[in-house]
Amino acid sequence: MTRLIVWRHGNTDWNAGGRVQGQTDVPLNDLGRQQAVDAAELLVKLKPDAIVASDLRRAADTAAALAALTGRSVGHDQRLRERYFGAWQGHTMTEVAALFPDQHARWQAGQEVGGDVESLDDMGKRMAEALLDAAALAPPGGTVVVATHGAVARQGVGHLLGWRLEQLRTLRALQNCHWIELTRDDKRGWQLAAYNVGPFSERPVPPPV
């Protein structure tokens, strides 16, 4: 049975400020780096055979925390990047609602946003393809960890499982440095084994010295 771990990156200052990141290359903050270490200490117990990450720093640096414990190198795949949010990127959702009210209303309803925001279908397809290629790196019965982003993780997993958008909306947003576990065997294909798994508590960020 192949196991695929789809892991969201750690916290960033834009996460903390409620800003839309999309494909803007925002780095981890102190909390995010600690979250990556805490999560890696759990994921290393799964003995991953391969680690693949989005090339955006917040995901790549999250994966690096696990690589440091396993001794494995990290492969990078642009298809694992977050959804492209176009003109929304850099704005808070309050600002998005004011600047793009029609698009924001469609987003809240789970519909295609339009404009220059990447479509749900395009995002799901490219992410599912990247996940399948990552899974192929594992030997039979092996484990692959993929470090990626929240929106694209949920959409890509849903596409891989063949879920309708209505089903996918029943899943809560993936928390920073939490992950989805998928398994695959010849009889059942891909199955969701666990969702939003991660460290039980967040360590406080130490004050600057």
Side-chain angles (χ1 to χ4, degrees):
M1 179 181 293
T2 299
R3 178 166 50 192
L4 184 62
I5 304 297
V6 185
W7 184 23
R8 188 187 176 196
H9 62 79
N11 194 263
T12 71
D13 286 345
W14 281 26
N15 285 147
R19 294 194 177 277
V20 180
Q21 296 181 119
Q23 296 187 7
T24 308
D25 199 7
V26 183
L28 297 175
N29 57 23
D30 288 344
L31 173 59
R33 285 187 287 273
Q34 186 61 62
Q35 288 174 328
V37 170
D38 291 346
E41 290 174 350
L42 297 178
L43 290 171
V44 71
K45 298 175 183 178
L46 302 181
K47 299 180 180 180
D49 297 286
I51 306 170
V52 186
S54 157
D55 62 338
L56 296 179
R57 283 181 293 170
R58 58 191 185 271
D61 289 350
T62 296
L66 179 59
L69 297 181
T70 63
R72 295 194 176 278
S73 60
V74 179
H76 298 96
D77 189 337
Q78 290 187 2
R79 294 174 298 174
L80 298 172
R81 288 183 176 188
E82 180 60 287
R83 184 181 191 180
Y84 179 66
F85 279 97
W88 289 28
Q89 294 179 180
H91 292 290
T92 66
M93 273 302 174
T94 299
E95 293 169 342
V96 168
L99 292 168
F100 313 101
D102 292 340
Q103 291 183 2
H104 184 263
R106 289 194 291 270
W107 174 78
Q108 282 193 312
Q111 301 170 354
E112 294 289 4
V113 173
D116 60 353
V117 177
E118 184 179 13
S119 74
L120 293 170
D121 188 55
D122 287 347
M123 174 175 58
K125 285 179 179 177
R126 55 118 167 150
M127 181 62 175
E129 289 172 358
L131 292 177
L132 288 173
D133 286 346
L137 298 174
T143 296
V144 176
V145 175
V146 173
T148 183
H149 308 264
V152 74
R154 186 167 59 171
Q155 195 68 32
V157 165
H159 197 91
L160 190 63
L161 296 173
W163 288 11
R164 301 187 308 274
L165 288 179
E166 294 80 7
Q167 289 175 284
L168 203 51
R169 279 174 57 78
T170 65
L171 294 177
R172 294 185 62 183
L174 199 60
Q175 297 177 60
N176 283 120
C177 254
H178 282 54
W179 58 85
I180 303 164
E181 180 179 345
L182 300 172
T183 59
R184 184 189 182 282
D185 62 35
D186 293 337
K187 291 183 178 180
R188 299 176 181 84
W190 286 104
Q191 292 187 303
L192 179 65
Y195 185 82
N196 238 342
V197 182
F200 288 108
S201 61
E202 296 175 351
R203 298 180 186 174
V205 181
V209 177

